[in-house]
Amino acid sequence: MADVIPEEDVGRLVGIAKKLIDENQFSPIEIIKYLRNEENCSLGQAKEVFVIAEHDETLGQYQKRVVAPLMEEFQKLVNECDEE
């Protein structure tokens, strides 16, 4: 099963991470640990939330910057396999 953050939680979690980043008192590891322990995120979810917050992005911007290129690369690989 995919490690997906429920859409209704993304904004709240990114807001928490941004606040912790802005306080400038916590390392990235401490913020990710906080999200895992206090907000019950998986490691993958906590890292994703941290990256979105660190880049001050919306989920859509993150998807365009990170997910879309990965999907394009995946599609190229699928097409290559289909041609063989």
Side-chain angles (χ1 to χ4, degrees):
M1 177 154 194
D3 192 20
V4 178
I5 303 168
E7 191 172 336
E8 60 273 7
D9 291 341
V10 172
R12 180 180 65 79
L13 294 170
V14 169
I16 291 168
K18 280 183 182 180
K19 181 181 176 196
L20 294 172
I21 290 168
D22 290 345
E23 288 178 7
N24 209 23
Q25 295 179 5
F26 304 98
S27 72
I29 301 272
E30 290 171 318
I31 294 170
I32 291 168
K33 281 183 179 179
Y34 177 87
L35 292 169
R36 288 194 69 205
N37 296 331
E38 299 300 319
E39 300 299 327
N40 298 318
C41 293
S42 70
L43 178 58
Q45 291 170 334
K47 289 188 326 188
E48 186 174 8
V49 165
F50 177 80
V51 168
I52 293 169
E54 182 180 46
H55 285 90
D56 199 24
E57 296 176 309
T58 65
L59 179 59
Q61 291 167 326
Y62 173 78
Q63 289 174 332
K64 185 180 272 188
R65 181 178 65 82
V66 176
V67 178
L70 291 173
M71 292 304 294
E72 288 175 17
E73 189 64 31
F74 176 73
Q75 188 60 51
K76 286 178 189 176
L77 292 171
V78 168
N79 292 342
E80 287 175 9
C81 288
D82 288 346
E83 291 173 2
E84 293 178 0

